[in-house]
Amino acid sequence: MFKLKYQSDDASVKCTHCGDSCPEDHPVYDEKDFCCKGCQIVYAVLKDNNLGDYYAFSDKPGISQRSASDKNYLFLDDEDVINNLLQFREEKLCKISFSIPQIHCASCIWLLENLSKLNPGILGSRVNFLSKKTTVSYDPSKITLRQIVEQLAIIGYPPELNLQKLSESKNTFSDRKLYYKLGLAGFSFGNIMLLSFPEYLGFAQASVKFYIGYINIILALPLLLYSGYDYLRSAYWTIKMKAVNIDIPIAVGMLTLFFRSVYEIISQTGEGYLDSLAGFIFFLLIGKWFQQYTFYSIAFDRNYKSYFPISALTQTTEGWQSRSLDKLKVGDLLLIKNEEIIPGDAILIKGSASIDYSFVTGESELTKKPEGAKLFAGGKNIGVNIQIQLTQKVDQSYLTKLWDEDTFSIDKEARTQTLVSKIGKYFTITIMSIALITLIYWLFTDKSVAFNAFTAVLIVACPCALALAIPFSYGNILRLLGKHSFYLKNVQVIDRIQQLDEIIFDKTGTITDHKNISAILIGKAITPRQEYLLKSTVFQSSHPLSKAIFKSLKGDFTSEVSYFCETPGRGIEARVGDTTIRVGSPDFIFDQKGDKQLKGIFIEMDGIVITHFDIFHQLRQGVENLISKLSKSYKVSILSGDNDKEKERLQTFFPVGATMIFDQKPIDKLNYIKTRQHLGYKVAMIGDGINDAGALMQSDIGIVISEDSNNFTPACDAILGAEAFGSLLNYLTFLKQARWIIIGAFVIAFLYNVVGLYFAVRGELLPVVAAIIMPVSSISVLIYGLMSSKLMFRKYT
């Protein structure tokens, strides 16, 4: 347990971790003295991975240790400020996303993703390394937002707090410290090179060399300790955590260059290599800046410009009309139907809502909300239609982040990602071994070459090119496809698409066009009152058949019902006034007791079947040609919840012997896909997102066809706009061929490392030259990935 020590008057007591002097009342852990909480935490992490006792001695909000940030976080106790910052807020769960520019390496990620060990009130945390953001979930009854921010400041990661949330027009590339470090590196590099110029030409006298050497050391110190600090810190903590990463050889190269140079200058045995050190750090930072700038450009296009091809019903002077996400504005009145996602933070205007926040929290328990309550983006409405008023413009980047979280993922491992991880794991060890062998060899062969060869090996060999190949090449592919209405969840989806060998289609709303579904009343005629009740009932549902019946009915309706329930794959039930209405399949209406030959949609009111509709589907434009071409490369089949009335028509363009299974409940679809996967098939499920969530999640790739409706489901891996349906084969072919882009990047990186190491181990590559070509190799792979993906996209689409 952590505890405070009160009896120490000895000012000579030093911190066990950092060596700094301890205050009079300093914390003690495991009989060790510490100057601050931060040192306690780090000691506990390194000793036995024990962070749980941190708050045992700190039960009050606020920072008392002198190592804490000097910022005043009292404003975080203000309710208005809290509401402005939080992304989600309920009684037992709040979520907030922090921008933390200090995130640099695997050590940072490990510490920030283990915040829950510091306090049981922190429920979880997740780091987005490239965007340098950390999302924290916490229980507000156990810990306050202020305490969380103070905790982050204590351990060295004070978040940037922006009370005005970013609009969609802003680029989030704002890591100013990188610019400062780059500027200092450029200044030092230029001046050291200028001061060393006389030496290069042999003009400098001995006394001048002596003073120039010391001036160069003065210039190199801030260069190493500030511009190169991130690499040194990453290497230090990585070694402390008994792991390896690419920053280790980089840090060793920096320190070797610096201390060897200092030794030569002081001992007057040489001029040193501080110009090489300055150039090394400068070009590293240039490469880092270029990578970050390119990543943010791709992410900005993906998150803000390529909107989800989904829409929401918005109230206009002409009634309820469908609008895409980018057209929604603050103050818009939206109608959210059963099973539809709430696209942005809003106030509940009409209806008593039951909200499923599992998309946000991972917990499927329904949350009841009265009129006037605040609703958060990502919640799913369950039950009767509700009307909401947007209080914040839809932030697609937030929805994208939710979609990419682990809540809705099953074990869908990407082989290419695994390959890169394995390469990165062993690369550093291999390079360090080669460097040591090179050093030992040249020490016995030619000592004057040993140092240069050793340093050059450490500098020139870099797996950055391999690590960049996937995020930049595939990231650009996500952006290109998003602009053409095919929106992929993440880069791992591309890898899984490349493995597909079977594609299963839903029928209604996928093979058929739900805009052109006709519902014909073939039973007994209904009265105006019955028509009003029926139209009010089907209006609550987003299912294509409900929409078809709604469109076939004339007269008035109400969007407000006292009860609504939808049974996936079977039917709907509602209560309008004093009347209970049920609409659905024969099995749903007759409770499995009716004639199995009955077809169509039956209507029941207060327990009496009054009529039924026959449904006529029109095929989606281009589907015959698409299926014909897909069947040459994939096994294609139909898995539908509808009856087999249209089986003969489907057989005219599906391949002979194609599997067609009808009358399937959602659980039947899921089990069928499991069976196919157990047989070794990599299966894609293509549906309209309605009644297909389980099958979409179970499949290796779940694709939702979206058209004028908010039928987005977190279970899917991709969203395809209906207008791009005919291009699906082109997209799949392009994604299959995209693997050659990665292979090409691997080849370039491999050749670079082989050639570079060949000259480095022979002592023929100067460290400064290695420092230049190292970031150049990464940038070349980056440019190759961006250009090749764009050219290949044009070729196949």
Side-chain angles (χ1 to χ4, degrees), residues 83-302:
N83 288 330
N84 187 280
L85 289 172
L86 292 181
Q87 293 177 325
F88 178 82
R89 187 175 193 179
E90 288 294 332
E91 183 179 355
K92 294 293 184 179
L93 174 65
C94 292
K95 292 188 74 171
I96 185 171
S97 182
F98 294 113
S99 176
I100 303 180
Q102 295 83 2
I103 297 174
H104 170 69
C105 62
S107 305
C108 303
I109 296 173
W110 183 90
L111 186 57
L112 290 172
E113 290 196 341
N114 283 275
L115 292 176
S116 58
K117 295 181 180 179
L118 296 176
N119 187 289
I122 300 177
L123 305 177
S125 51
R126 176 167 174 158
V127 174
N128 184 322
F129 177 70
L130 290 177
S131 63
K132 300 187 184 300
K133 288 181 180 287
T134 300
T135 301
V136 178
S137 302
Y138 68 96
D139 185 342
S141 65
K142 297 181 179 179
I143 188 172
T144 67
L145 177 60
R146 176 184 167 194
Q147 286 177 302
I148 293 174
V149 173
E150 290 175 343
Q151 174 60 66
L152 289 170
I154 289 170
I155 62 176
Y157 299 92
E160 289 187 349
L161 298 174
N162 184 2
L163 299 185
Q164 298 299 321
K165 296 181 179 179
L166 294 176
S167 69
E168 88 284 356
S169 61
K170 284 190 178 180
N171 192 317
T172 58
F173 183 61
S174 60
D175 190 357
R176 294 184 179 179
K177 284 190 176 180
L178 178 58
Y179 288 113
Y180 298 152
K181 291 176 181 178
L182 184 58
L184 176 61
F187 173 81
S188 300
F189 179 44
N191 282 279
I192 291 174
M193 290 290 290
L194 181 64
L195 291 171
S196 303
F197 193 75
E199 295 182 26
Y200 298 152
L201 301 179
F203 296 155
Q205 299 178 359
S207 59
V208 175
K209 286 183 180 181
F210 178 79
Y211 288 111
I212 288 176
Y214 277 93
I215 293 173
N216 284 343
I217 291 176
I218 293 173
L219 289 170
L221 271 172
L223 171 75
L224 176 70
L225 299 178
Y226 182 69
S227 296
Y229 174 74
D230 288 340
Y231 298 100
L232 298 175
R233 183 184 67 170
S234 172
Y236 172 77
W237 285 112
T238 301
I239 293 172
K240 280 283 190 179
M241 297 174 71
K242 299 179 180 180
V244 292
N245 70 2
I246 184 53
D247 288 341
I248 293 176
I250 290 177
V252 171
M254 286 181 184
L255 294 174
T256 305
L257 281 170
F258 179 77
F259 286 110
R260 174 72 186 196
S261 300
V262 171
Y263 168 77
E264 289 190 1
I265 291 171
I266 293 176
S267 64
Q268 298 187 27
T269 56
E271 295 83 9
Y273 304 90
L274 293 179
D275 51 349
S276 297
L277 173 65
F280 177 37
I281 296 176
F282 178 66
F283 287 111
L284 273 180
L285 293 176
I286 284 209
K288 183 177 181 180
W289 169 82
F290 187 77
Q291 293 164 18
Q292 288 196 8
Y293 179 82
T294 307
F295 166 78
Y296 283 118
S297 297
I298 291 174
F300 181 73
D301 280 350
R302 168 174 161 80

Side-chain angles (χ1 to χ4, degrees), residues 620-678:
R620 191 177 292 278
Q621 185 177 0
V623 69
E624 297 99 326
N625 184 48
L626 175 64
I627 298 298
S628 176
K629 290 182 178 180
L630 280 174
S631 62
K632 296 177 182 178
S633 304
Y634 304 92
K635 178 180 175 60
V636 293
S637 53
I638 286 280
L639 191 62
S640 176
D642 294 342
N643 57 56
D644 61 357
K645 184 178 69 173
E646 300 192 54
K647 182 175 183 179
E648 291 185 5
R649 181 166 62 147
L650 295 173
Q651 287 175 334
T652 61
F653 57 90
F654 269 79
V656 178
T659 302
M660 295 186 181
I661 305 176
F662 300 90
D663 296 312
Q664 296 293 289
K665 298 175 183 176
I667 188 62
D668 298 328
K669 295 180 181 180
L670 186 150
N671 289 333
Y672 178 79
I673 290 175
K674 276 186 179 180
T675 301
R676 301 301 295 171
Q677 289 172 327
H678 289 159

Side-chain angles (χ1 to χ4, degrees), residues 556-775:
D556 199 8
F557 70 97
T558 178
S559 61
E560 301 176 28
V561 299
S562 58
Y563 169 79
F564 180 81
C565 178
E566 187 162 358
T567 303
R570 302 191 68 198
I572 59 178
E573 181 176 347
R575 185 173 299 112
V576 183
D578 297 328
T579 307
T580 300
I581 305 99
R582 300 176 75 221
V583 181
S585 65
D587 286 348
F588 179 71
I589 298 299
F590 298 109
D591 197 23
Q592 303 287 348
K593 297 177 183 180
D595 185 349
K596 298 298 181 181
Q597 300 303 314
L598 291 176
K599 306 292 183 183
I601 303 298
F602 287 77
I603 315 299
E604 177 188 281
M605 293 188 182
D606 288 335
I608 300 174
V609 176
I610 62 171
T611 192
H612 70 282
F613 287 79
D614 203 358
I615 304 296
F616 295 91
H617 299 269
Q618 183 173 324
L619 296 177
R620 191 177 292 278
Q621 185 177 0
V623 69
E624 297 99 326
N625 184 48
L626 175 64
I627 298 298
S628 176
K629 290 182 178 180
L630 280 174
S631 62
K632 296 177 182 178
S633 304
Y634 304 92
K635 178 180 175 60
V636 293
S637 53
I638 286 280
L639 191 62
S640 176
D642 294 342
N643 57 56
D644 61 357
K645 184 178 69 173
E646 300 192 54
K647 182 175 183 179
E648 291 185 5
R649 181 166 62 147
L650 295 173
Q651 287 175 334
T652 61
F653 57 90
F654 269 79
V656 178
T659 302
M660 295 186 181
I661 305 176
F662 300 90
D663 296 312
Q664 296 293 289
K665 298 175 183 176
I667 188 62
D668 298 328
K669 295 180 181 180
L670 186 150
N671 289 333
Y672 178 79
I673 290 175
K674 276 186 179 180
T675 301
R676 301 301 295 171
Q677 289 172 327
H678 289 159
L679 293 174
Y681 290 97
K682 298 296 183 181
V683 180
M685 175 70 190
I686 303 179
D688 62 358
I690 302 172
N691 305 332
D692 296 326
L696 290 166
M697 182 182 290
Q698 180 60 43
S699 62
D700 297 281
I701 294 292
I703 302 175
V704 164
I705 306 297
S706 183
E707 185 174 34
D708 288 341
S709 62
N710 186 350
N711 58 342
F712 167 67
T713 171
C716 68
D717 299 295
I719 305 171
L720 179 65
E723 69 279 7
F725 182 75
S727 302
L728 178 61
L729 177 60
N730 293 337
Y731 295 156
L732 295 180
T733 303
F734 163 62
L735 291 171
K736 280 213 165 188
Q737 294 300 316
R739 71 177 65 183
W740 292 105
I741 296 176
I742 302 302
I743 293 173
F746 279 16
V747 170
I748 293 174
F750 176 77
L751 291 176
Y752 158 77
N753 280 288
V754 169
V755 173
L757 286 173
Y758 172 77
F759 288 103
V761 297
R762 290 166 58 92
E764 299 174 356
L765 189 66
L766 293 176
V768 67
V769 177
I772 293 173
I773 64 176
M774 175 188 168

Side-chain angles (χ1 to χ4, degrees), residues 5 44 77 85 112 144 217 248 279 338 425 454 500 539 738 759:
K5 185 174 182 179
D77 291 330
L85 289 172
L112 290 172
T144 67
I217 291 176
I248 293 176
N338 179 52
K425 180 179 180 181
F454 172 69
L500 292 177
F539 179 74
F759 288 103

